[in-house]
Amino acid sequence: AQKVTQAQTEISVVEKEDVTLDCVYETRDTTYYLFWYKQPPSGELVFLIRRNSFDEQNEISGRYSWNFQKSTSSFNFTITASQVVDSAVYFCALRQETSGSRLTFGEGTQLTVNP
Amino acid sequence: EAGVAQSPRYKIIEKRQSVAFWCNPISGHATLYWYQQILGQGPKLLIQFQNNGVVDDSQLPKDRFSAERLKGVDSTLKIQPAKLEDSAVYLCASSTYRRAGYTFGSGTRLTVV
């Protein structure tokens, strides 16, 4: 069975603070992919990153960084120096090789960045 | 490139009525998905098409939901009859065959009253 848990339902920070969104996953596959998506109030899901299970290198893209640790089955997402435009719901998702292209999403974390 | 187009953007219907949603994927994308996102939850896959064939419909409530993808391009998702619990955002997405990431549309927000 595959499962994604985002324990933080809501996070509220003040602009310029750093914030980390947690994601824990469960899978029996050895080959899998992990994703983060952003869903602003307009509703569309915006792709942020994809990671495969064989690449544990951390990644940084501007103010965004991701920490993938297979030992703890976690794929956490950090926003440095948060901005009001970062306010959105963020989803972590898992795709197992044995499940075809199906994405299993977590419940999402609502991030609010206050000015 | 143009994104995934969906219509209508919003729809309000009474329970037991029927409703249909339309999706036009990105040109050349062979794989098309319909996801249901209930308020406060993550999206859940309803059905996946590869060209005009169904690949995965294991989570589609087939007694009331149906979907088709004629000619391997546009797709329609139908609910008949609708129930209150069908109130959700219906998201369409598409991808190239080998690509692991999707492009999502803006969704159709359905309210069943």
Side-chain angles (χ1 to χ4, degrees):
Chain A
Q2 57 187 32
K3 185 179 178 182
V4 176
T5 301
Q6 294 179 255
Q8 304 149 308
T9 304
E10 295 182 24
I11 299 177
S12 182
V13 299
V14 177
E15 208 169 17
K16 298 184 183 176
E17 285 186 12
D18 299 346
V19 58
T20 296
L21 310 182
D22 297 334
C23 173
V24 174
Y25 62 92
E26 296 177 27
T27 178
R28 294 180 181 176
D29 284 21
T30 56
T31 302
Y32 54 89
Y33 299 84
L34 294 164
F35 301 78
W36 276 95
Y37 283 87
K38 174 181 180 180
Q39 189 173 45
S42 54
E44 76 276 21
L45 283 163
V46 178
F47 168 78
L48 296 178
I49 190 171
R50 177 191 75 192
R51 251 309 175 246
N52 73 56
S53 52
F54 300 107
D55 182 2
E56 286 192 72
Q57 279 191 341
N58 292 329
E59 182 158 337
I60 298 175
S61 176
R63 296 185 297 106
Y64 295 170
S65 62
W66 291 269
N67 181 269
F68 177 27
Q69 293 195 341
K70 288 178 74 171
S71 60
T72 56
S73 297
S74 65
F75 185 44
N76 296 338
F77 172 33
T78 298
I79 301 175
T80 303
S82 59
Q83 300 176 2
V84 172
V85 293
D86 295 327
S87 297
V89 180
Y90 290 86
F91 289 97
C92 181
L94 166 70
R95 180 173 82 83
Q96 293 182 153
E97 193 67 14
T98 54
S99 297
S101 299
R102 181 194 307 176
L103 286 178
T104 296
F105 285 83
E107 298 293 286
T109 298
Q110 169 71 61
L111 173 64
T112 302
V113 182
N114 299 298
Chain B
E1 62 182 4
V4 175
Q6 290 189 245
S7 67
R9 190 77 174 89
Y10 303 93
K11 190 74 176 179
I12 301 174
I13 62 172
E14 295 183 351
K15 59 184 179 183
R16 290 187 288 274
Q17 286 187 326
S18 61
V19 64
F21 314 127
W22 173 82
C23 173
N24 181 237
I26 291 174
S27 178
H29 281 196
T31 310
L32 185 147
Y33 314 82
W34 283 102
Y35 278 79
Q36 179 193 56
Q37 185 179 15
I38 294 172
L39 185 65
Q41 299 182 17
K44 182 184 77 172
L45 180 70
L46 291 176
I47 189 167
Q48 176 189 342
F49 291 94
Q50 183 67 31
N51 295 309
N52 59 353
V54 175
V55 174
D56 184 353
D57 63 356
S58 57
Q59 300 185 103
L60 185 73
K62 299 181 184 64
D63 57 334
R64 298 182 301 105
F65 285 66
S66 64
E68 60 182 7
R69 190 182 184 196
L70 299 176
K71 300 180 181 179
V73 182
D74 293 6
S75 177
T76 303
L77 176 69
K78 296 180 182 178
I79 308 175
Q80 182 179 6
K83 293 185 176 181
L84 295 176
E85 59 261 35
D86 298 331
S87 294
V89 175
Y90 290 85
L91 293 160
C92 180
S94 68
S95 69
T96 55
Y97 180 70
R98 295 183 183 278
R99 183 177 173 181
Y102 305 171
T103 301
F104 282 88
S106 298
T108 295
R109 182 177 297 276
L110 173 67
T111 303
V112 182
V113 297

